[in-house]
Amino acid sequence: MLNAHNITVSFSGEDLFAGISFKLVSGDRIGLVGKNGAGKSTLLKIIAKEQEYDKGTIALEKELKIGFLKQDIEFEKGRTVLEESYQAFGEIVIIEKKLEQINTELAERTDYESEYYNNLMNDLDENQHRYELLGGYNYQGNTEKILKGLGFSEEDFNSLTETFSGGWRMRIELAKLLLQENDILLLDEPTNHLDIESIIWFENFLKGFNGAIMMVSHDRMFLDNVTNRTIEISLGQIYDFKKAYSGYLVLRAEIKEKQLQSQKNQDKEIERTQKLINKFRASATKASMAQSLMKKLDKIERIEVDVDDNAVMKVRFPISKNPGKVVFEIEGLGKNYEDKKVLQNVHLRIERNSKLAFVGQNGQGKTTLAKIMVGEIEHSGICKKGHNVEIGYFAQNQVDYLDGEKTVLQTMEDAATDTNRLKVRDMLGSFLFSGDASDKKVKVLSGGERNRLAICKMLLMPFNVLIMDEPTNHLDIASKNVLKQALHDYEGTLILVSHDRDFLQGLTELVYEFKDHKIKEYLGDIDYYLDTHNLENMREAEKKLNAKKKVAKVEKPNKEKRELLKKVQKKINNIESKISKTEKEIINLDAELAENYDEVSKRANFFENYQAKKDAVKVLENDWEKLHLELESLE
């Protein structure tokens, strides 16, 4: 599908990466990893043809469709969620307008025998045929299904996009991307604004995607669940492994260990040879042997060990002073945004040194409660802060509070007090902003670098209760691990709003789920919550199923209807079997391409046969959908 060869990109005379090469074939699900600023987003932009590169070549198959989800997006104002989502179907929408115009004109005309009327009928027929071919009769239903999967309710569909936060607008862009049937998906941190339920839905969607995926993500669990290949960018080079992230870490460590051992053995051999050369040089009769050994030594190809970029930030969260036993007492708390009810009659008691997580779908009030607790927004009911409580707050949009025109150093100095002003440079060094990096303007920093700066700035103020709202967004995996360890070691009270399952694991002892304007307590960590939550969902589904069965008992189907149901079910089973078989054949072809692209791609009619199988799957899936609709109507 895509072949990148010797790609080099430079900024201000320095190489971001140099001479990197890789291939992308159908079935690849690549996790693109590396530290903040390593060039991951740049590489995605290059593949998407949104950024130039200095050297190298990128070869693509003809008529290849590439979809790119960027971190920063812009929408045209005045469109509803549905209208913006329908932009994914450009040609369908255009044909729809044509059909509307033609039908309007046909209704108004009476010259049924004229040539013009006949041409209108031909145009109607052609456009209807094209409309059907493009899926015009299904696109609205598919759009609504994708939007619901990403957390939108039917009430949201007709709301204007500008009334939603940046995270929700990102979801609309993601929905458009998933509806376009691209061959390659390029995803830049797609889970940053998704809640846990939406991430799980998105994982399942990507697992069924037939094309190739290359994604930048710092969510380890998401990478492990979706990817089958990892490309790391480190110090201007790439390391390519046919493993998901956790498997890649193990393999990378094994390879480096073997390299170190081989290098050690080679060094011993070189040292022994050098001693012989020195010994033979002293003897006139053995001078020729010394010369021979020297030539042999010159020809040895030195074994190099992969260089790792091991620089990580150093974080420690000190406690300012001991607060009282109860740090927050919340009773009958409520919050509405105009007509929209967010929280209602919430009761919560948080004790000193407890560590808890706020989880749940976006829009359920997690961030709202965090802002109420730090005194940012008004509310009804009681939210009482305990004795001696000092709050450290990391807002979800913390980076918006940073002035882009200031340098990193100025940002810190302006927030510093007389007692810690002299420590500013040392603190910046601990967060990887030493030397010239502290003179960079905030506006040129990557998302992860801005997050690091925001955390560093937060440490300038004393606190004993730490509230962090999505602190891992944009942070690379190494920085996330450091932050997690620092929070684990933190001896104060911790309240975390996060959707990152891997980050939350083992970090909190209480989970509060926000749903339907209320909160529910789970006495355990995120794993306990997910297990319990899945079980509750299964029980809920079982109740609905039992309710359907009770209704069905009222009206027993007759023998003829039962036979018809069996026939339809048998057809569905046959189609499912064919789909499974064909998909396995596609996977086998993908594996052949991955192992030896140059040889396999030369086979006669290989790509035609490959495409025919993919087309066959689409036809079978359409048939499967129609039969399921028939089955539902019979039931």
Side-chain angles (χ1 to χ4, degrees), residues 9-17 39 42 51-52 54:
V9 175
S10 302
F11 291 111
S12 303
E14 289 188 16
D15 289 342
L16 184 61
F17 39 77
T42 299
Q51 185 166 322
E52 297 294 323
D54 299 308

Side-chain angles (χ1 to χ4, degrees), residues 98-192:
K98 281 184 183 177
L99 288 171
E100 190 178 338
Q101 289 171 357
I102 292 169
N103 281 316
T104 300
E105 195 169 352
L106 284 172
E108 292 171 353
R109 299 187 75 92
T110 55
D111 51 339
Y112 308 122
E113 303 299 326
S114 69
E115 186 179 346
Y116 187 83
Y117 192 90
N118 187 50
N119 289 337
L120 277 178
M121 290 299 294
N122 288 334
D123 285 346
L124 180 68
D125 187 54
E126 286 176 13
N127 280 291
Q128 278 182 334
H129 178 69
R130 181 65 181 163
Y131 186 74
E132 187 176 354
L133 202 65
L134 292 169
Y137 297 109
N138 300 320
Y139 83 95
Q140 292 179 338
N142 290 339
T143 301
E144 292 182 14
K145 187 165 69 175
I146 294 287
L147 287 172
K148 285 179 180 177
L150 289 171
F152 289 94
S153 64
E154 287 189 15
E155 290 77 23
D156 295 327
F157 291 170
N158 294 313
S159 301
L160 295 174
T161 58
E162 55 262 34
T163 63
F164 289 87
S165 66
W168 283 97
R169 290 202 293 271
M170 179 68 79
R171 291 183 190 216
I172 299 169
E173 191 67 16
L174 181 56
K176 285 159 60 178
L177 201 68
L178 301 182
L179 288 162
Q180 285 169 350
E181 296 187 357
N182 293 291
D183 300 297
I184 296 176
L185 286 180
L186 304 174
L187 309 172
D188 197 353
E189 300 195 39
T191 63
N192 266 359

